[in-house]
Amino acid sequence: MGLSAAYAQSGGDSMETVVVTGVRASIERAVNIKRDATTVQDSISALELGKFPDNNVADSLSHITGVTIKRTAGGEGQRVSVRGLGPDYTLSTFNGRILATDGAGRDFAYDVLPSDVISGADVIKGAEAANMEGAIGGLINLRSASPFDKTGQHGAIRLEGDRNLMSELNGYKLSGVYSGTFFNDTVGVLLGVVYEKRKDRTDEAGNDGGWTRNPDPTGDPATEWTGNAWGGNIDPNGNGNLDPEEYGLIGPGQFRVGSIIEKKVRTAYSAKVEWRPNDNLTVVVDGLKTNLDSPQVGYQQSFYPLFAPDRWSNMGIKNSIVTSFDMTNPDPEQRLNPELLNQTTYRVVNTDLYGINAKWKVTDSLTLTGDLYRSKSARNSGGQDSYVVLRMNQPNSAHIELTSAGVPSVTVKFDDGRDLSSGLATGAFKASDFNTHYFSLAGDNIIDRITGASIAGDWIIGKYWIDNIQFGINRTERKKSRDLVNNTLTGGADYYSGNYAINVGALGGSVISNSFALPNFMDGVNADFPRTFLAFDVAGYEKALAAYDGHARPGGGTYSYAAAAPVWNPLQSYRVSESTWSGFAQANLSGDSWSGNLGLRIVHTKTSSQAWEAKIAKIEPNGPFNNTVTYADPTGVTQDNDYTYFLPAVNVSYNILEDLRLRVGAARTMARPSVEKLAPTSTTESVSWGEFTEVFGGNAKLKPYSADQFDASLEWYFQANSIVNFAFFYKHITDQITNSWETGQDIGVPGHLFNISRPINGDYAEVKGIELGLQHFLENGFGVRAQYTHNWVESWVGGQQRPLEGIAPSVYSLGLFYDHGPISVSFSGDYTEGFVTANSVLGPGYNEQADPILWITAQASYKIGENIELTVEGSNLMDETETTTINGNPLLLNSYYRYGRSIRIGVSYRM
């Protein structure tokens, strides 16, 4: 196993063949792929059959120049961006086939795919007519192994165990792979299986209700911020007026702190059968099936200090931010009522991809290739997710203070002498201390189906500088449906809140059972807040509410759990179908010291989208910042669209010297809107908690992103399998998709004006950047890999310049290696600079920003003989956190996620 590249070293008249394996072999293969590529690209290869450099495919991709990733619960890589452009600009394929995904969009969720089924990945940054359309940032093609990569019988079994040092939770993974060729190496079989079970914990904090900011009439009238203070403008002097010193004043609306516990079970099965009866014919039948079962339970404390007249006192203000205040008003609706928040996510994803591919050499000059595949991803969690809140109901006094640690300090002293933090730790609070409150049950049923077929030809010319001509035609059908099942539309989420709240003690049972603490919870955050939780059983809570049926409900009638049960919500459900024909022709050229290609790809897509809308019929106040909304009957909305794009591309590679190569390329590229942005959905569910905003999900008339791009790369292969490269890229992006924000709009609800958010095609954006890379191994086994990417971005929407969302200005990575004999050691650090994730969340110039992060991993392995290998890996060794803030200000935290350090040990046996 672990067969790798080999190269010859001369010594006198003798020739010694040196075979390298492991990390060194992986990097050497990647360098060779880059050198032989016909456009600008980078690659990564498996260390050996069934073993990728990292446990997660996205983590391995993050070591490639210009690649960044977004992590999910537990710190696992999930979404991938290329050259700073977000996942919407990136297309992921598996053996050239589009992967269906369980998310609302097109970007593939890499956590559903174990790295064990991958043999390599190519990140194609340039563009060629022969490559599938749909990417502006980059095309990521994942490759599976072939049984003919090494003929004969081979196999491997691996057992790994992992432990997170923060959560003190464990997991394990068992994987196996078999490869064999038969009948004089005319038939090959490759089989793989993976089973992984682990528990993760993610400590989190955030500002779900958003920050409040007063109106600021001092700016441009066209973009004037009119405020979002639901309870009234923040008024430190209490005169009831918006004074100049109060313009744009910011204060907290709602924040929470807690932890997510995830039980993850992941299985994968892969199979490939290849038939090569002769040199002229190859037929491949392959399949991949994965299942990800990852339910999450979040235990959190939630606080809702939103400003209202007479609610805050003793305010401390610094740089137009209210940094501290007291809440001592005895009014039950004015005081701070701490909340117990339990949030569950039921995510079970089944993904499969099956296909057949045939390659036939018709004549010495003509080869035809046909491919047919079907990909499907399904997630059925409708109505099974929960966001359930119990609210404390005792008189108290509270003090809140923003901290540089991001998480605010909050101290609550109850009139009966109990303290919130110490009381939770000692079990001083019981069920009778809480009332029922917000009761949201939701979840998506998403099905994504993709069918693809293609026929391509390769015609050898061999004269007039034309080596060969590639041509082909593709047909792709995509059908994606989302059915949201929740209880918001019917008012069920507020059925037990406000005036209709029930004291939890009256429900009986064991809704709240005991206090518990999590090891190392938020131990790096220097702030004062509760660090103990109450066990809150949502399933038991639902049973208790159902058992309460028949009791009198204020205002008349009796309680009925059926009135709060989740139902199909048509307002955020949709059906999107997309049919695409594409064809291409590409001439591959070469001369004495140069090569290149010139081609055109034509794409025609038809889109049909169906959604539903319903007008607000009535809004009934149900306490402060709490409303029950009644809707008219929904009506269907159907939108159709079609577009045709001509995508020319040219690439030239010139050998300045034998080891010095210059590549240049120019092309027009396109990326389709995210699927959910094509569906004309809309929601006003925020009205239930007092925010009058209508959010439009999409519009089938949205145009794809398109870009005119230029790439140049200078590559110096100064030694065998070593490279220094410098690249420059430029992209002029038109019709870029962003969100508009309109305030004070009349949507036909008497007495209320609404904010409106909707996706729109912006004017244009310009992205230019540079990449620097180095890969080198010394003969003594030491090696280095380093890369740096920097982007400069300018974006305009409605004639106004604004940051382009999702683009990291700088990304860099450093890897150090030692690979000699039975020992292999590697160390990698990947740094992503902060970048804007959402524009104008508090008005022009107030953007949500993902803060910088440094992710460090290390691996070591030792081979015992030819068959056994021991490994140890460490992830997130600096115990980094992922945070988002307003303009990078730690006082204005939007989200905080801490995953902790993880250690993984393993043993493998190769045959």
Side-chain angles (χ1 to χ4, degrees), residues 513-531:
S513 54
N514 62 282
S515 298
F516 68 96
L518 297 170
N520 308 306
F521 174 69
M522 292 285 184
D523 56 6
V525 177
N526 185 23
D528 183 13
F529 53 84
R531 297 173 186 254

Side-chain angles (χ1 to χ4, degrees), residues 17-81:
T17 300
V18 181
V19 179
V20 292
T21 61
V23 175
R24 182 171 181 173
S26 174
I27 291 179
E28 288 182 358
R29 284 193 293 271
V31 171
N32 290 332
I33 293 172
K34 181 178 182 70
R35 185 170 192 163
D36 295 337
T38 54
T39 188
V40 179
Q41 78 171 61
D42 289 285
S43 301
I44 195 163
S45 295
L47 303 178
E48 58 188 44
L49 183 63
K51 184 180 180 183
F52 220 52
D54 295 88
N55 189 56
N56 175 273
V57 177
D59 280 306
S60 288
L61 291 172
S62 70
H63 306 320
I64 289 178
T65 309
V67 173
T68 58
I69 63 175
K70 177 67 176 176
R71 301 183 182 277
T72 185
E76 189 172 12
Q78 186 183 51
R79 310 287 177 184
V80 177
S81 303

Side-chain angles (χ1 to χ4, degrees), residues 720-790:
N721 305 307
S722 296
I723 179 178
V724 173
N725 65 283
F726 170 80
F728 169 80
F729 57 90
Y730 171 83
K731 301 176 188 291
H732 180 88
I733 304 172
T734 57
D735 295 322
Q736 45 115 353
I737 298 171
T738 187
N739 288 309
S740 67
W741 180 262
E742 306 161 42
T743 60
Q745 302 297 304
D746 184 358
I747 67 168
V749 181
H752 298 284
L753 295 179
F754 279 67
N755 303 315
I756 294 179
S757 174
R758 68 177 87 237
I760 60 172
N761 285 113
D763 295 342
Y764 68 95
E766 290 186 349
V767 180
K768 51 189 174 184
I770 58 171
E771 292 179 343
L772 298 171
L774 166 66
Q775 291 187 152
H776 180 49
F777 258 104
L778 302 173
E779 293 183 5
N780 59 10
F782 286 96
V784 62
R785 177 184 61 207
Q787 46 249 356
Y788 171 78
T789 302
H790 187 83

